[in-house]
Amino acid sequence: MYKSCKRWLWQWRGVWIVTPTITGLIILLRWTGMLQTWEWTAYDQYMRWRPSEPLDQRIGIVGIDEADVKKIGQLSRSILPDQIYAQAIAKLKTHNPKAIGLDVYRDLPVQPGHQELVQVFETTPNLVGIEKVVGDKRQDAVAAPPALKAKGQVGANDVIFDADTKVRRALLQVEDANGDVIPSFGFYLALLYLDAQGINPKPIPGEPNTWRLGKSTFSRFQKNDGGYVRTDAGGYQILLNYRGSKEHFETISLHDLLEDRIPPDWGRDRIILIGFVGESFQDWIFTPYSSSWFALPERMSGVELHANITSQILSAALEGRPLIQTWSQRQESLWILFWSTIGAIVTWQGRYQGKKRVSVQRFLRLILAGGVLLGSTYGAFLIGWWIPVVPPLLALSGSVVAITSYLAHQGGKIRETFGRYLTNEVVANVLENPEGAKLGGERRTITILTSDLRGFTALTERLMPEEVVNILNFYFATMTDVITQYQGTIDEFLGDGILVLFGAPTLRDDDAQRAIACAVAMQLAMTSVNERMKHLGLSPLTMGIGINTGDVVVGNIGSSKRTKYGVVGSQVNLAYRIESYTTDSQILISQSTLNAAGTWVRIDSKILVQPKGLPEPIPIYEVGGIGQPYYLFLAKPDEQFLPLLEPIRLHYTFLEGKHVSDLFFRGSLVKLSAKGGEISSEQVMTPLTNIKINLQVDDRLISVSEDIYAKVLDQPSDEHSFYIHFTFLPPNVEAMLSNRYKLLRQLQDESKEQKTGNREQGNKSSSIL
């Protein structure tokens, strides 16, 4: 008996060795977070495969799109006057909805109609406003409407984004900075609806963070649930069970509501949400339905996202619609062990068969086992269970590969592959240095270069996404060649911007000089980029570059889930601030960079600025070139401003970061140059301010040109005017201004020739006398 058991154990030795080894490895990979993104992908695919549910008739949406804004006559797309919302809510109240949700920030008054809106707030007990709770109070958080906050009719509209920017979880409650528990916007609306039917949350004794609501039990999301690994589980979260892709709720336009073009009972006993649905409002969310093999990512509006949260709570409480549940870590481990065993047994059984037969049978058995795994997990998903897919699939495949390698007497080491795009120096540092792959960083002084294309965002709005990608690829390829030549480390591409490090991972004495030489070379390389733009029939691109030298922490930053080689510190932010002051083809550097670079740098001008976050103004310097040993210089064109024969009336506003102010000022363009002009106005802008301009085409204010973007120059002018440099001109406006400037230059040249001719005629007359 003993000998038989021993012989049997030896005969199946490969299974006993491989199964626990592969299982342990997969569990380790799962625990480190390396499989998290793959598991999200499988989850998203199951979500897309799942049949969509019908429209939830209990919820309606009043969507605000570009057509509504146009009919209202607003110049600012994202800010409507309070009067409009007051009228909309008053109209909705006549339809007798059970709850109204205003998914629009209203922490500040927007005239006209503010008092009218406050009165509506105070007289509508079933109205819920929003506030953004999570984040820094001074920057990220947004206060609630004071009138609704005083009555407690406010919900948090915070959204939880995963690392791939998709939303798979929903907040039901969150604590604010004072420790007060704030219900989420969608949860508050659902509770109003359920309360009318006598349904309220009831805690379950002995089970913290678990409560009963109608026909369902809600349990708080934990940091390792489903495919997540040590994620942030702050607040009371649940997995978001979407009804389907976008447009799963009946939606009417704001204008139809205001014009009474909807049925009288449209909103009766419903939850009505009001929010932006237009593409230009930037209130769009990536969801599991956003991925697609054959189409561009499809996003969902923020108001529909909150509608999905509300619908999920109502459906669970009233109809028992399944909430998405997950297994415990022990159950997941046993699940992985089971599939690892299946893979090992299936492969080990064919060890004495012919090689060709083994290969075919092993392949077919693996396909069959994989099909059973996918089918069972998908079936479980249909009834509300998220069972891991990727770890058991890898365990199955891993056992097959391990047994096959063992039988073929092939050995090797398992090498972990990290999804990083790094320079050769960083790769060498990671592979050759024993400490190179460890998380953490070190403080050192490096030089940081940031670049950004001027007016590119506005240009992309006129192009197809494929054209934008082609332009960016060519631009990045050109710049990468230059950066590599000067031994810079590309930390990351941010939109159309580039962040480059000089001094990391290898610190050199000439980091500052190489950074400046690289910047000049990049500006010179824009010639080839613009030749490509000309070939495509597009306006030329211009680039601003900012450089700063200072102490940062550099190294492997992130977590076991995802790691990148990069830098953190205030000096990085300062480099971005310096770059933001540039106009096209300009290079600005800090005092520290100038000190480190030495005397071979040509400085064309000095500017005193006050970057955000610094207590005192600092000087920054415009670079015109660098001498020994690079000898690279930029041509500095002589900007000549010529008086227009007839001023062009305009109105303008200033930009606050990426947002357009709602304050507009009138003025006139009185002078013009090749790339800028002079504006006469009672309201003079501060130098280096970014502004948006619309030229007035005729006597009507509404007949204006497309948006023009410019930066105010630090150039002396009288007290009622200021000089600007255009950063983006629409093609038709560019052509018009270019023709006018050519005419001015022609008139100037003719005047000079006439004066020269008169002078020569006078000299001849003097000679005769």
Side-chain angles (χ1 to χ4, degrees):
M1 180 67 180
Y2 172 75
K3 291 183 178 179
S4 299
C5 183
K6 184 178 181 180
R7 184 170 55 253
W8 181 76
L9 290 174
W10 173 251
Q11 289 176 345
W12 290 88
R13 64 192 180 279
V15 175
W16 315 134
I17 295 172
V18 168
T19 295
T21 302
I22 294 297
T23 300
L25 178 61
I26 297 301
I27 291 175
L28 178 62
L29 290 175
R30 163 83 171 87
W31 181 248
T32 60
M34 295 184 66
L35 307 181
Q36 181 174 238
T37 303
W38 293 359
E39 191 63 41
W40 288 347
T41 302
Y43 177 90
D44 294 350
Q45 188 61 59
Y46 280 5
M47 187 77 75
R48 293 192 295 274
W49 281 345
R50 187 180 64 174
S52 295
E53 300 188 25
L55 271 66
D56 191 339
Q57 298 297 336
R58 295 165 300 202
I59 299 173
I61 295 175
V62 177
I64 306 171
D65 59 16
E66 290 81 358
D68 292 323
V69 174
K70 184 177 181 180
K71 290 175 182 177
I72 293 170
Q74 281 295 109
L75 293 176
S76 175
R77 290 190 177 276
S78 60
I79 301 177
L80 298 180
D82 289 346
Q83 184 182 55
I84 298 298
Y85 294 112
Q87 293 174 0
I89 296 170
K91 293 277 188 182
L92 285 176
K93 289 170 65 176
T94 64
H95 291 259
N96 297 317
K98 286 193 176 180
I100 302 173
L102 181 61
D103 187 24
V104 178
Y105 290 121
R106 260 318 178 253
D107 54 322
L108 297 173
V110 180
Q111 300 294 356
H114 177 64
Q115 289 303 320
E116 182 182 351
L117 181 60
V118 170
Q119 185 178 3
V120 170
F121 284 167
E122 294 175 347
T123 58
T124 310
N126 62 341
L127 173 65
V128 180
I130 60 170
E131 65 177 320
K132 192 176 185 307
V133 176
V134 180
D136 187 288
K137 272 189 173 182
R138 295 171 296 177
Q139 297 180 6
D140 301 322
V142 180
L148 292 179
K149 186 68 173 179
K151 299 174 63 180
Q153 295 175 212
V154 175
N157 74 327
D158 295 271
V159 176
I160 307 172
F161 294 94
D162 288 331
D164 59 355
T165 71
K166 292 182 180 178
V167 177
R168 300 180 180 88
R169 293 168 286 156
L171 273 171
L172 299 189
Q173 293 176 341
V174 64
E175 284 189 3
D176 62 13
N178 300 321
D180 297 325
V181 177
I182 308 297
S184 72
F185 181 58
F187 186 44
Y188 198 149
L189 291 171
L191 290 181
L192 285 177
Y193 188 98
L194 295 173
D195 183 66
Q197 302 187 32
I199 300 175
N200 294 289
K202 297 178 181 179
I204 298 179
E207 296 185 35
N209 296 319
T210 304
W211 33 267
R212 188 78 180 171
L213 184 63
K215 296 182 178 181
S216 296
T217 300
F218 286 73
S219 298
R220 184 175 180 177
F221 172 86
Q222 303 300 319
K223 61 183 180 181
N224 292 314
D225 281 355
Y228 289 92
V229 179
R230 297 187 299 279
T231 194
D232 182 6
Y236 197 109
Q237 303 178 24
I238 61 171
L239 290 168
L240 183 48
N241 194 4
Y242 291 88
R243 297 193 70 85
S245 59
K246 68 176 185 176
E247 298 178 356
H248 265 68
F249 302 92
E250 186 176 358
T251 303
I252 64 169
S253 70
L254 175 63
H255 200 67
D256 284 345
L257 172 65
L258 296 177
E259 296 296 328
D260 293 322
R261 290 200 292 263
I262 60 174
D265 60 343
W266 178 80
R268 183 176 300 277
D269 295 330
R270 275 182 161 186
I271 297 174
I272 307 299
L273 291 86
I274 306 172
F276 295 104
V277 296
E279 286 284 345
S280 65
F281 298 110
Q282 301 180 350
D283 186 17
W284 290 86
I285 307 294
F286 287 103
T287 71
Y289 294 93
S290 297
S291 301
S292 175
W293 291 102
F294 305 105
L296 293 174
E298 184 178 73
R299 299 177 297 171
M300 179 180 292
S301 65
V303 66
E304 189 170 3
L305 175 73
H306 293 296
N308 268 281
I309 297 172
T310 304
S311 176
Q312 177 178 353
I313 298 168
L314 294 181
S315 300
L318 297 175
E319 302 149 11
R321 179 175 179 243
L323 297 167
I324 298 179
Q325 304 176 73
T326 60
W327 274 355
S328 67
Q329 294 183 39
R330 177 176 297 181
Q331 290 171 313
E332 289 185 10
S333 298
L334 292 174
W335 181 245
I336 295 170
L337 175 63
F338 172 78
W339 286 102
S340 178
T341 304
I342 293 295
I345 291 175
V346 166
T347 310
W348 187 261
Q349 281 180 330
R351 64 191 182 281
Y352 295 132
Q353 300 175 8
K355 183 176 180 181
K356 183 176 181 180
R357 186 178 178 186
V358 168
S359 299
V360 173
Q361 286 190 356
R362 190 175 299 151
F363 177 77
L364 293 177
R365 289 172 180 172
L366 178 61
I367 293 297
L368 178 61
V372 173
L373 169 60
L374 294 176
S376 61
T377 52
Y378 177 66
F381 189 80
L382 291 177
I383 60 175
W385 284 93
W386 182 6
I387 298 176
V389 180
V390 175
L393 187 60
L394 289 179
L396 174 68
S397 306
S399 294
V400 172
V401 172
I403 293 293
T404 302
S405 299
Y406 178 81
L407 294 173
H409 302 289
Q410 296 177 354
K413 296 181 179 180
I414 299 175
R415 301 188 64 182
E416 298 179 352
T417 303
F418 296 89
R420 302 174 180 174
Y421 295 88
L422 305 172
T423 64
N424 292 333
E425 284 187 323
V426 175
V427 172
N429 181 68
V430 171
L431 297 180
E432 299 173 9
N433 184 354
E435 304 294 320
K438 294 183 66 175
L439 290 176
E442 63 173 331
R443 179 181 290 271
R444 65 168 64 175
T445 302
I446 68 170
T447 298
I448 305 138
L449 180 151
T450 66
S451 71
D452 188 61
L453 292 177
R454 290 288 167 261
F456 189 74
T457 301
L459 175 63
T460 58
E461 296 176 356
R462 301 169 174 273
L463 304 176
M464 297 295 292
E466 295 81 2
E467 294 177 298
V468 175
V469 171
N470 289 335
I471 293 171
L472 282 178
N473 286 342
F474 181 78
Y475 164 71
F476 284 141
T478 304
M479 295 300 117
T480 299
D481 290 341
V482 176
I483 294 166
T484 303
Q485 179 183 351
Y486 290 90
Q487 299 175 299
T489 299
I490 297 176
D491 183 74
E492 56 186 334
F493 297 112
L494 298 169
D496 56 4
I498 310 175
L499 176 62
V500 188
L501 313 178
F502 291 85
T506 303
L507 193 64
R508 296 181 175 87
D509 293 335
D510 63 340
D511 286 329
Q513 293 96 322
R514 283 186 296 106
I516 294 175
C518 178
V520 178
M522 289 170 67
Q523 293 290 14
L524 295 174
M526 288 299 292
T527 301
S528 62
V529 174
N530 285 324
E531 287 176 358
R532 178 67 172 269
M533 295 295 289
K534 183 179 180 180
H535 177 73
L536 296 174
L538 300 172
S539 300
L541 296 175
T542 57
M543 174 178 61
I545 297 177
I547 306 177
N548 180 43
T549 302
D551 291 339
V552 297
V553 176
V554 58
N556 297 318
I557 300 169
S559 68
S560 58
K561 303 175 188 176
R562 182 174 177 84
T563 305
K564 70 180 291 290
Y565 187 86
V567 294
V568 293
S570 60
Q571 297 300 323
V572 181
N573 297 331
L574 181 57
Y576 281 111
R577 299 291 184 194
I578 293 173
E579 183 274 320
S580 69
Y581 292 119
T582 61
T583 56
D584 58 7
S585 305
Q586 197 174 34
I587 303 170
L588 295 178
I589 65 174
S590 64
Q591 181 71 58
S592 58
T593 301
L594 180 60
N595 295 340
T599 59
W600 292 103
V601 180
R602 190 188 87 188
I603 300 300
D604 290 343
S605 64
K606 174 182 177 181
I607 311 171
L608 199 64
V609 297
Q610 174 98 48
K612 184 178 181 180
L614 294 183
E616 299 291 337
I618 63 169
I620 56 177
Y621 302 87
E622 181 181 2
V623 172
I626 184 170
Q628 185 177 337
Y630 305 101
Y631 298 104
L632 296 170
F633 298 94
L634 299 175
K636 188 171 179 63
D638 183 19
E639 193 81 356
Q640 187 176 12
F641 293 84
L642 301 177
L644 286 165
L645 300 177
E646 182 178 357
I648 303 175
R649 287 187 291 177
L650 52 81
H651 63 267
Y652 61 95
T653 185
F654 58 89
L655 305 182
E656 299 171 331
K658 296 293 184 181
H659 302 284
V660 180
S661 171
D662 57 349
L663 297 176
F664 287 84
F665 309 100
R666 297 191 180 188
S668 297
L669 186 65
V670 295
K671 289 184 180 180
L672 195 61
S673 71
K675 296 184 178 181
E678 182 182 6
I679 292 178
S680 175
S681 174
E682 293 296 326
Q683 181 67 35
V684 178
M685 292 285 101
T686 306
L688 305 183
T689 300
N690 292 311
I691 62 174
K692 180 176 78 70
I693 303 170
N694 295 95
L695 302 181
Q696 188 170 334
V697 179
D698 56 25
D699 293 334
R700 296 176 299 164
L701 185 59
I702 60 172
S703 182
V704 296
S705 71
E706 297 179 73
D707 294 341
I708 302 169
Y709 293 90
K711 184 182 287 290
V712 179
L713 297 177
D714 186 13
Q715 184 169 330
S717 60
D718 61 46
E719 61 180 359
H720 295 302
S721 67
F722 55 94
Y723 288 93
I724 60 169
H725 185 96
F726 297 122
T727 56
F728 174 78
L729 287 169
N732 58 335
V733 177
E734 182 180 20
M736 183 268 288
L737 294 180
S738 177
N739 290 335
R740 294 201 180 189
Y741 183 69
K742 289 179 181 178
L743 176 61
L744 295 175
R745 290 294 301 268
Q746 181 180 351
L747 294 176
Q748 184 187 51
D749 292 340
E750 291 175 356
S751 177
K752 288 181 178 179
E753 290 176 1
Q754 184 177 4
K755 290 181 179 179
T756 302
N758 293 338
R759 189 180 302 112
E760 290 175 353
Q761 184 66 35
N763 291 337
K764 289 180 180 179
S765 299
S766 299
S767 299
I768 293 173
L769 292 174

